[in-house]
Amino acid sequence: MTTENTAPAWINDPEARLAHKNAFDGALVMGTARFNQETGRLLTKSRPFLWAIDRETGLIRSDLVRARRCPVCDEPPAQGLFVKDGFRHVRCHKCGLIYVSLILREDVIDQYWREEMAWVGVLNSTPQQELDRLKYQYGLDLVSGRLTGRRVLDIGSGPGGFVRLAEEQGWQATALELNQESSKKLAAEGYQVIVKHLEVTDLPSESYDLICLWEVLEHLPAPRMMLAEARRLLAPGGLFLILVPNVNSLVTRLLHEKSNTFGGHSHLNHFGPESLADLIGRAGLKVVEMETVITELGTINNYLSFEDPYKGTAGPVIPTLTPQLIHENMWGSRLLALAERG
Ligand SMILES: [Zn+2]
C-alpha cells in the first residue's frame, strides 16, 4: 500500500523550522543543569571501563582492544589528539576523521551494549521521551513529502520511541536493537524487532522506503560496511535519515576532550559535515540535505563562565550567539542528514 504524503509548510519557512528544532533542544527548553539532572544524564556511569586501564601505559588493557584503520578511508591511524579514560583519540591525516584507535574488541562491545542499562534509563526518562518524540516527529516531517511508501527500518532503535511514533502515524516499522532490555520490551509490546547485527539479518533487498540511524554510526567499529549493507535494503526512491554527534560543533571545538561526546568505549567515530558526507558517498549513497540540530548553548555559556559545563547555570555570555547563528554555521551539536542511493 502506498500513501500520498505531504510535507508540512514549516519545512520551507526558516523561522518556523528553527522553532521546531529548538523545541527538542532539551537544554534550551529546560536549562542545561535541569535537563542533565532530570533526564538522568548526571547519574549515568559515563566511564564504565576505568577498571580496564593499565596503570603503566594509562591505556585500556591490551588484551581487551584491537587496532583499526580509519573507518572512512582505510588509512592507518596517524596523528594522536588526546587520551581520555584510557582511549586514544586520533585524527586521520588523509580524510580528517577523528576516531578511537585502539577500540574495544567486538565481543567486549557487544556484551556492553547487550547489557547496558544506564543510557537506556536516560532514554526512558519522561523528559527525554517527550523531547525525543518531537525530534522523531521532526525527522518524519522532513521525509514525509519525499516518500510514497511507508516501510521503515529503525537501526539501533533503543527503547523504541521512534518506532512507536512511526506506527502511530501509519508507518510499517521494523526495529533492530541488540540491547536485551530494550528489544524484549519492544517485542512484548508487539513490535517487529530484530535482535542481530544488520550484516547477518539476511533481510530481502529493497524492502524499506526509509532507513533511520538515530545516533548509531558513531558507535560502530565499521560504519562504512554497515551503511553499504543497509543501502542494499533501501527501495528505489527511498531515503536514509542519519543523526550523529557533530565534532565540528561549537561546543566540541571549545571543550575538546572535556566534552561528554568523547567516551571511547561508546563513541568510536566523530564525524563533521565533510567526513559524514565522505562516509555516505563511500557507501554508495548521496547526501540530499544536511543541517545541525541541538545547540548545547547552555553548555557553552557555562564553560565560558568558568562553571561546570554540564551542571552550571550561567546565562548568555555572547548576546549575538543565538541558536540561529549556531545552526546557520553548522555549529550545532548533532548532524542530521538525509541521503539517497547514489
Ligand atoms: Zn581517513
Side-chain angles (χ1 to χ4, degrees):
M1 190 186 79
T2 57
T3 316
E4 276 304 315
N5 302 311
T6 48
W10 61 259
I11 285 184
N12 297 312
D13 173 349
E15 214 171 294
R17 186 159 170 162
L18 181 64
H20 276 258
K21 227 184 251 206
N22 290 344
F24 62 84
D25 189 328
L28 209 58
V29 176
M30 303 170 65
T32 298
R34 213 184 117 214
F35 168 69
N36 287 322
Q37 180 69 41
E38 291 186 14
T39 56
R41 277 176 171 75
L42 295 180
L43 306 170
T44 304
K45 197 179 169 198
S46 59
R47 305 159 78 198
F49 285 88
L50 291 183
W51 60 271
I53 295 176
D54 181 323
R55 287 188 186 185
E56 274 181 28
T57 62
L59 300 172
I60 299 292
R61 258 170 38 196
S62 59
D63 60 312
L64 295 173
V65 292
R66 69 166 181 88
R68 66 170 180 164
R69 291 173 168 248
C70 171
V72 169
C73 79
D74 279 333
E75 278 288 295
Q79 194 188 347
L81 287 179
F82 55 81
V83 173
K84 183 175 181 183
D85 299 337
F87 293 97
R88 192 187 300 283
H89 292 69
V90 301
R91 176 152 53 193
C92 176
H93 63 81
K94 194 170 171 197
C95 79
L97 183 80
I98 294 173
Y99 65 100
V100 177
S101 184
L102 315 161
I103 58 167
L104 292 169
R105 289 189 337 240
E106 259 85 340
D107 59 313
V108 180
I109 296 180
D110 278 359
Q111 187 185 354
Y112 172 73
W113 285 115
R114 249 193 333 269
E115 298 171 358
E116 205 284 332
M117 284 302 294
W119 188 246
V120 171
V122 170
L123 295 175
N124 277 325
S125 72
T126 302
Q128 190 64 48
Q129 285 189 334
E130 287 169 0
L131 292 161
D132 279 346
R133 203 172 160 83
L134 295 172
K135 180 179 76 180
Y136 296 142
Q137 186 66 61
Y138 186 91
L140 284 175
D141 285 347
L142 276 192
V143 299
S144 59
R146 300 172 182 269
L147 297 173
T148 46
R150 291 202 150 203
R151 298 163 300 173
V152 58
L153 173 65
D154 185 28
I155 300 175
S157 51
F162 177 77
V163 296
R164 272 188 205 95
L165 183 68
E167 288 262 346
E168 274 173 38
Q169 299 186 1
W171 292 76
Q172 185 189 323
T174 303
L176 188 145
E177 175 54 49
L178 299 176
N179 182 262
Q180 282 173 347
E181 175 79 12
S182 295
S183 56
K184 266 189 210 160
K185 193 164 167 240
L186 275 171
E189 288 175 37
Y191 292 101
Q192 196 180 345
V193 53
I194 300 168
V195 193
K196 280 181 185 174
H197 283 286
L198 184 73
E199 292 86 340
V200 295
T201 51
D202 281 331
L203 289 164
S205 297
E206 303 187 350
S207 31
Y208 297 100
D209 306 295
L210 174 63
I211 298 180
C212 294
L213 292 153
W214 294 103
E215 303 198 279
V216 172
L217 293 176
E218 67 272 26
H219 300 288
L220 303 179
R224 203 181 66 212
M225 279 168 58
M226 195 273 234
L227 204 50
E229 168 60 11
R231 178 190 182 280
R232 183 181 68 75
L233 305 178
L234 192 69
L239 284 176
F240 273 87
L241 195 162
I242 297 170
L243 187 79
V244 291
N246 177 16
V247 79
N248 286 4
S249 63
L250 187 57
V251 69
T252 303
R253 285 168 185 245
L254 285 169
L255 266 66
H256 292 189
E257 62 266 44
K258 290 194 182 80
S259 166
N260 277 352
T261 201
F262 294 113
H265 64 290
S266 167
H267 284 186
L268 315 185
N269 318 304
H270 294 274
F271 301 100
E274 285 177 12
S275 51
L276 180 62
D278 194 359
L279 176 83
I280 286 170
R282 287 170 193 261
L285 299 163
K286 194 171 73 183
V287 174
V288 176
E289 60 174 58
M290 195 187 295
E291 64 185 310
T292 67
V293 298
I294 304 180
T295 57
E296 292 206 41
L297 188 50
T299 314
I300 294 168
N301 289 332
N302 286 336
Y303 191 66
L304 294 177
S305 304
F306 300 92
E307 291 195 31
D308 182 299
Y310 298 102
K311 296 179 190 166
T313 53
V317 177
I318 306 169
T320 50
L321 184 60
T322 60
Q324 185 181 351
L325 184 74
I326 287 177
H327 293 310
E328 274 174 3
N329 287 283
M330 298 291 279
W331 286 338
S333 83
R334 305 289 194 283
L335 292 167
L336 180 61
L338 299 185
E340 61 189 8
R341 291 173 85 137

